[in-house]
Amino acid sequence: MTRWFPIIGGISLNLALGSLYAWSVFVLPLEREFGWNRAQTSWVYTIAIVCFAATFIVAGKLQDAKGPRICAFLGALLVGGGFALSSFTTSVTFLYIAFGVIVGVGNGFGYSAPTPVASKWFPDKRGLAVGLMVGGYGAGSAIIGPVATRLIADYGWRSTFQILGVAFFVMGLIGTALLKNPPTGFKAPAPSPAAAAKKRASIDIPTRDMIRTPTFWALWLAYCLGTTAGQMMISQLVPFMRSVGLTPEAAAFAITIAAVGNAGGRILSGALSDSLGRLTTLKVMIVGSLLVMVSLGMGVNQIIALYALVAAGYWCYGTQLSVFASTTADFYGTRYLGMNYGALFSAWGVAGIVGPFIAARVYQVTGSYSYAFHGAALLACVAFVSISMARPPLSAPATLEPVRA
């Protein structure tokens, strides 16, 4: 049972970090008060994503060297503090720094901690363990979205930022206390025969050697283009739902629907990948994302159909955040997993620029998101081709020397 306590810690930390996915509930109140346009508010989320992904590489190296707790604490401090500072916003530039930079950097440090911990404690159930931890990130907006919407209505957006900042700091401290690596000599229960047969890498490959493998770049491109659709939806979810005629309450509830799909994809598809295989699971979800984008681009405006498409789209997106992490551990080992996954995770950061930019720009020019969704579908096609070219390494590349523990 001891190895389940770090899972609880990772879920608590990621629930706080997942507040980033509830950003869209603040978009309309801020636009109304300050007169900002959609492109300006979209940059807040984009800056946060870029800072998240850029910091993740540095944080991953720190996590590999010093363990998960220092990164978890920095994540809790910066995310909680960034939300509190955002309550003092008087200009869009201040918000770019308080929310975009500080909350984004906090996410980079905090998010680097749980995945390596889960991979080390659960080599026998890696997909499930990583899925549970990162599922907390996806589920965060299911709670935070409706709560933030209610708080904004009752107390205003400034007080809401402050209340959430304190709550996230406390949740992050709980995660910091529970996250730890296995002790020296730890042995997990033996995996099932099917899982053992799928085991690929028996050595740890450093980042500098990993990025020389063609499979890494195939994974990188697929990760980037495959998650562009999800990033597009996350940054514009509430405004998009309002643009097709939903009430403020119905649009806000879409965040809960999205979070259920996001968390479900991370947890259930993560567990499924333990038996179905990582690459097969990713291929199925990228195709699913393509179909969702095509459907949304056709102009669906019936509320039940919209909710179903949002849930499906977030499910496909959440699966990628879970399974790409497990794939990195399977292919390149766990000793350098913090930095290795940080390098791959930079693809998600690029998607965080491309997706929101396309959505905001297309909406500003056309008054609709349809063409943006069709563009995301085309990118998903390229992602499918790229992931199909990835090959699981059966052993270390011939040019690499085995890494000694």
Side-chain angles (χ1 to χ4, degrees):
M1 290 299 297
T2 301
R3 64 178 183 158
W4 287 99
F5 287 112
I7 298 294
I8 296 171
I11 292 172
S12 178
L13 176 62
N14 276 334
L15 281 170
L17 301 177
S19 57
L20 187 60
Y21 284 168
W23 156 251
S24 61
V25 303
F26 291 97
V27 170
L28 295 179
L30 289 166
E31 288 180 350
R32 282 195 298 266
E33 178 155 342
F34 295 105
W36 299 332
N37 61 40
R38 188 60 44 80
Q40 288 175 301
T41 53
S42 294
W43 270 107
V44 178
Y45 179 80
T46 298
I47 291 170
I49 293 300
V50 171
C51 291
F52 183 171
T55 306
F56 195 84
I57 300 175
V58 176
K61 185 173 184 179
L62 179 63
Q63 195 281 150
D64 290 339
K66 301 295 184 181
R69 283 180 170 168
I70 184 172
C71 291
F73 176 75
L74 288 173
L77 180 64
L78 292 171
V79 170
F83 264 79
L85 283 174
S86 296
S87 69
F88 298 102
T89 294
T90 56
S91 68
V92 71
T93 302
F94 183 91
L95 191 61
Y96 289 161
I97 296 171
F99 194 98
V101 175
I102 296 177
V103 173
V105 170
N107 268 263
F109 277 105
Y111 197 69
S112 70
T115 296
V117 174
S119 296
K120 292 170 184 175
W121 278 106
F122 288 86
D124 54 321
K125 300 177 182 178
R126 181 168 288 149
L128 173 61
V130 172
L132 285 169
M133 280 203 178
V134 300
Y137 197 102
S141 54
I143 301 169
I144 298 163
V147 169
T149 301
R150 184 73 258 175
L151 289 173
I152 290 171
D154 292 343
Y155 304 107
W157 60 267
R158 292 186 188 275
S159 295
T160 300
F161 270 130
Q162 294 171 358
I163 294 169
L164 294 179
V166 172
F168 298 152
F169 180 63
V170 172
M171 293 165 65
L173 290 182
I174 294 172
T176 301
L178 294 176
L179 281 171
K180 65 177 181 178
N181 285 324
T184 302
F186 167 77
K187 292 185 180 299
S192 65
K198 292 179 179 294
K199 185 174 178 60
R200 298 291 181 180
S202 59
I203 68 167
D204 297 294
I205 300 176
T207 307
R208 66 180 180 275
D209 295 325
M210 178 189 71
I211 61 176
R212 301 208 315 261
T213 64
T215 286
F216 169 78
W217 293 106
L219 293 173
W220 193 97
L221 184 61
Y223 201 176
C224 177
L225 301 185
T227 56
T228 294
Q231 296 278 31
M232 183 182 293
M233 293 176 69
I234 289 166
S235 69
Q236 305 291 321
L237 181 59
V238 171
F240 163 65
M241 300 299 268
R242 293 295 305 280
S243 73
V244 295
L246 269 64
T247 65
E249 294 76 15
F253 185 68
I255 296 177
T256 300
I257 298 294
V260 171
N262 196 348
R266 293 172 189 240
I267 298 170
L268 299 181
S269 294
L272 179 65
S273 73
D274 285 332
S275 56
L276 184 62
R278 313 290 187 215
L279 297 182
T280 300
T281 303
L282 288 170
K283 290 175 187 177
V284 171
M285 294 303 159
I286 289 173
V287 171
S289 181
L290 186 159
L291 296 176
V292 168
M293 290 297 104
V294 170
S295 300
L296 288 174
M298 294 173 63
V300 175
N301 57 15
Q302 206 278 332
I303 187 169
I304 300 301
L306 282 169
Y307 283 164
L309 288 172
V310 166
Y314 273 71
W315 185 289
C316 297
Y317 170 79
T319 295
Q320 293 177 71
L321 269 292
S322 171
V323 179
F324 270 111
S326 299
T327 302
T328 307
D330 286 354
F331 285 11
Y332 304 106
T334 60
R335 181 176 178 181
Y336 305 100
L337 181 57
M339 195 168 180
N340 282 351
Y341 186 52
L344 183 61
F345 196 72
S346 64
W348 179 85
V350 174
I353 300 173
V354 175
F357 174 79
I358 292 174
R361 185 62 179 168
V362 168
Y363 181 81
Q364 198 168 16
V365 172
T366 68
S368 169
Y369 290 102
S370 292
Y371 289 113
F373 291 139
H374 287 308
L378 290 175
L379 295 179
C381 289
V382 180
F384 181 83
V385 174
S386 185
I387 198 68
S388 298
M389 297 173 65
R391 294 292 181 268
L394 296 175
S395 60
T399 57
L400 304 181
E401 296 181 0
V403 178
R404 299 186 183 278

